[in-house]
Amino acid sequence: MTENARETPDRPPAPREPAPRTPAPGAASEPGPRPEPLRFFGTTWLAHDGGYGARRAAVGLGSLLCAAAGAFVLKFAYEGIALADVGGLVNILLVVMFTLCTAMAFARTWQGFTRRPDPEAQQSLRGLLAIGFLGTLLAHAVRCLSEAPGESLARREYEEARRRYEKRRAKGGPKPGAKGRGKPKRR
């Protein structure tokens, strides 16, 4: 017998398997649809557990810090343009362009929290959203004050999927993923 295999009378042997955990709502052991994980939050938005509040605060604060750093960089860019003495019209156009792009990026991001954006429209506005990155960051920071960004959309879709799943189960129809049920094939 080795030193590690001996049991001492005052200390019980260490368990070999971890204690079983209670699965969270929507976990893999539960049948039916699974919740969509959100960036930085995973599926903690479902039951507001696993440090959900701290994550929301961290994402909001991180977005604000990134927006402040971005504004600082834009300030240096503007000062560089001003030093080049390109003219008052160019300076005004630059400020107006960044202001409009920031406002439009904020609006697009805010709408994306409540409904799925059109992929083609999102692709075509990619440059505008990049220029207006401050709006995107500020939208995330403001949204974190009430919920995880995108939580209401994910919750609505998840609850709808659960409702449809429960309705199918109550009717006794074919279960998702079950084979051999349903209409027989015609020959």
Side-chain angles (χ1 to χ4, degrees), residues 1-25:
M1 229 174 179
T2 65
E3 181 75 26
N4 294 339
R6 273 191 258 158
E7 295 178 18
T8 57
D10 59 330
R11 186 174 47 169
R16 292 201 163 97
E17 293 182 21
R21 289 182 18 181
T22 308

Side-chain angles (χ1 to χ4, degrees), residues 136-172:
T136 300
L137 291 169
L138 292 174
H140 276 83
V142 171
R143 192 61 169 209
C144 281
L145 295 175
S146 63
E147 67 176 11
E151 178 182 345
S152 62
L153 174 65
R155 186 174 301 282
R156 189 172 59 243
E157 289 176 349
Y158 175 69
E159 287 172 355
E160 176 65 23
R162 290 291 303 173
R163 188 187 61 73
R164 285 193 316 261
Y165 174 76
E166 293 300 328
K167 188 176 177 182
R168 277 195 313 263
R169 285 191 60 188
K171 283 177 40 176

Side-chain angles (χ1 to χ4, degrees), residues 51-118:
Y52 170 81
R55 290 178 193 215
R56 245 180 61 196
V59 168
L61 186 62
S63 294
L64 279 178
L65 289 175
C66 287
F72 194 66
V73 169
L74 285 178
K75 176 184 175 262
F76 280 128
Y78 178 78
E79 287 176 356
I81 297 289
L83 282 175
D85 198 29
V86 293
L89 180 64
V90 173
N91 288 342
I92 291 171
L93 287 175
L94 186 70
V95 170
V96 168
M97 180 209 48
F98 272 108
T99 304
L100 288 176
C101 287
T102 298
M104 290 177 13
F106 183 93
R108 293 294 282 186
T109 304
W110 195 263
Q111 288 173 353
F113 293 147
T114 56
R115 64 175 184 240
R116 294 271 175 212
D118 179 29

